[in-house]
């Protein structure tokens, strides 16, 4: 089976700072891949390059058959990037909901504005996805009436409403109070069970161990190790992976 994501020799510089170094990565359809690593290892930058929120400095990114080469300009390239974004839903650390819109309006905005969908159809899709995340009963509320966990679940529904082939999660629980983390992780577990392809940057080791098909470890802009969760957590091969896992086990910071 062809991978849905194929990253080849991806480099990213911020000025002289070399953030991603010849990254090569494949993600298979319906796979849940979790990316772990210390802060500053390049995890979030990798995700942001995949949907071109950050412009790659070199390399190639392929998403569901769409191939985009770094450094190429022009109308065709802009079209490819637009089409890649249509295939990728992204959930950020912060929820980024529109405060002046209801929950339902937040979820319908993308399909209506980006896809040109009529409002009735967009409402139907939005309600279906709010139900998926357990928040249909909040559809008429405004974001300031929601908890942090509920806001993040609305953000997930908003991404799902675009009917993506791939979901990118950038530390989706890091801005939440501890008691609210579980409700977001449960939604993500449900998506995994439904067969959604997911690339998840996370510091939630329990989630990575339980839900991931594969764990990818980053350090200093490189992929240093990858494998099945049981192999990574029980017998890491790289000393940096072992140190990272030991730090989490003892409750240390990244």
């Amino acid at each position: 089976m062809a991978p849905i994501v194929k990253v080849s020799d991806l480099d990213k510089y911020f000025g002289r700072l070399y953030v991603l170094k010849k990254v090569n990565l494949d993600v298979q359809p319906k796979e849940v891949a979790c990316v772990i690593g210390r802060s500053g290892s390049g995890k979030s930058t990798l995700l942001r390059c995949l949907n071109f929120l950050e412009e790659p400095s070199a390399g190639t990114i392929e998403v569901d058959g769409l191939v985009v080469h770094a450094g190429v300009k022009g109308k065709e390239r802009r079209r490819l990037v637009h089409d890649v974004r249509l295939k990728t839903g992204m959930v950020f650390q912060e929820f980024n909901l529109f405060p002046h819109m209801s929950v339902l309006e937040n979820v319908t905005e993308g399909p209506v504005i980006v896809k040109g969908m009529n409002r009735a159809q967009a409402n139907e899709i939005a309600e279906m996805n709010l139900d998926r995340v357990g928040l249909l009963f909040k559809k008429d509320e405004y974001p300031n009436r929601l908890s942090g966990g509920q806001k993040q679940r609305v953000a997930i529904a908003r991404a799902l409403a675009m009917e993506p082939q791939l979901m990118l999660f950038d530390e989706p629980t890091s801005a939440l109070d501890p008691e609210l983390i579980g409700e977001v992780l449960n939604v993500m577990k449900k998506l995994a069970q439904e067969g959604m392809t997911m690339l998840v940057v996370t510091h939630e080791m329990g989630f990575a161990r339980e839900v991931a098909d594969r764990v990818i470890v980053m350090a200093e802009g490189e992929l240093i190790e990858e494998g099945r969760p049981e192999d990574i957590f029980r017998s890491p091969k790289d000393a940096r992976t072992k140190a990272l896992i030991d730090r989490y086990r003892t409750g240390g910071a990244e």
Side-chain angles (χ1 to χ4, degrees):
M1 186 180 296
I4 192 168
V5 176
K6 187 174 181 62
V7 178
S8 303
D9 292 331
L10 179 65
D11 284 341
K12 177 60 183 176
Y13 288 88
F14 290 110
R16 294 184 179 180
L17 186 62
Y18 196 8
V19 179
L20 295 178
K21 306 171 182 177
K22 293 289 182 289
V23 171
N24 291 282
L25 172 67
D26 290 354
V27 180
Q28 298 297 322
K30 299 187 178 182
E31 182 180 19
V32 178
C34 284
V35 184
I36 64 173
R38 297 187 67 179
S39 294
S41 60
K43 307 183 302 297
S44 293
T45 301
L46 172 60
L47 248 59
R48 292 174 68 85
C49 283
L50 285 180
N51 68 352
F52 299 92
L53 291 173
E54 297 289 353
E55 185 64 34
S57 301
T60 303
I61 293 172
E62 180 177 347
V63 177
D64 198 25
L66 300 172
V67 181
V68 186
H69 299 280
V72 177
K73 305 293 184 183
K75 184 176 180 180
E76 174 64 16
R77 208 261 191 180
R78 289 193 296 272
R79 184 191 65 78
L80 280 170
V81 168
H82 175 266
D83 290 348
V84 165
R85 287 173 174 162
L86 287 178
K87 291 176 179 286
T88 56
M90 187 155 183
V91 178
F92 301 88
Q93 297 177 32
E94 300 294 338
F95 325 116
N96 299 322
L97 301 179
F98 295 114
H100 62 290
M101 292 182 177
S102 70
V103 164
L104 185 66
E105 289 168 339
N106 265 281
V107 179
T108 59
E109 186 74 359
V112 170
I113 299 301
V114 178
K115 286 188 165 183
M117 191 178 293
N118 69 65
R119 184 69 63 176
Q121 185 182 3
N123 283 346
E124 184 177 338
I125 290 172
E127 289 185 355
M128 179 188 70
N129 284 295
L130 285 169
D131 191 43
R132 286 172 83 182
V133 303
L135 286 176
L136 181 57
F137 73 106
K138 292 285 190 180
K139 70 177 184 176
D140 295 321
E141 295 281 9
Y142 285 80
N144 66 350
R145 299 287 300 274
L146 304 178
S147 70
Q150 289 172 337
K151 290 176 184 176
Q152 192 63 294
R153 286 153 63 194
V154 172
I156 293 172
R158 178 178 59 186
L160 291 171
M162 295 297 288
E163 301 176 316
Q165 301 299 306
L166 166 71
M167 285 287 285
L168 306 174
F169 292 87
D170 186 9
E171 297 194 10
T173 61
S174 65
L176 299 179
D177 294 332
E179 65 270 18
L180 301 176
I181 290 173
E183 65 186 72
V184 173
L185 294 181
N186 285 337
V187 168
M188 295 170 65
K189 290 175 187 177
K190 181 182 175 184
L191 292 179
Q193 291 164 358
E194 292 173 359
M196 174 62 72
T197 307
M198 298 162 59
L199 186 59
V200 184
V201 168
T202 186
H203 58 269
E204 296 293 336
M205 294 294 152
F207 175 85
R209 191 164 196 164
E210 178 185 351
V211 180
D213 299 301
R214 181 165 47 119
V215 173
I216 299 160
V217 188
M218 290 191 70
E220 299 174 337
E222 298 178 306
L223 305 189
I224 61 170
E225 189 168 355
E226 61 180 285
R228 298 180 306 171
E230 56 266 35
D231 296 331
I232 294 293
F233 285 99
R234 288 178 186 170
S235 53
K237 297 175 182 176
D238 192 289
R240 292 167 291 181
T241 305
K242 184 177 186 304
L244 175 72
I245 291 170
D246 287 346
R247 188 159 40 247
Y248 280 114
R249 284 176 178 157
T250 57
E254 282 188 81

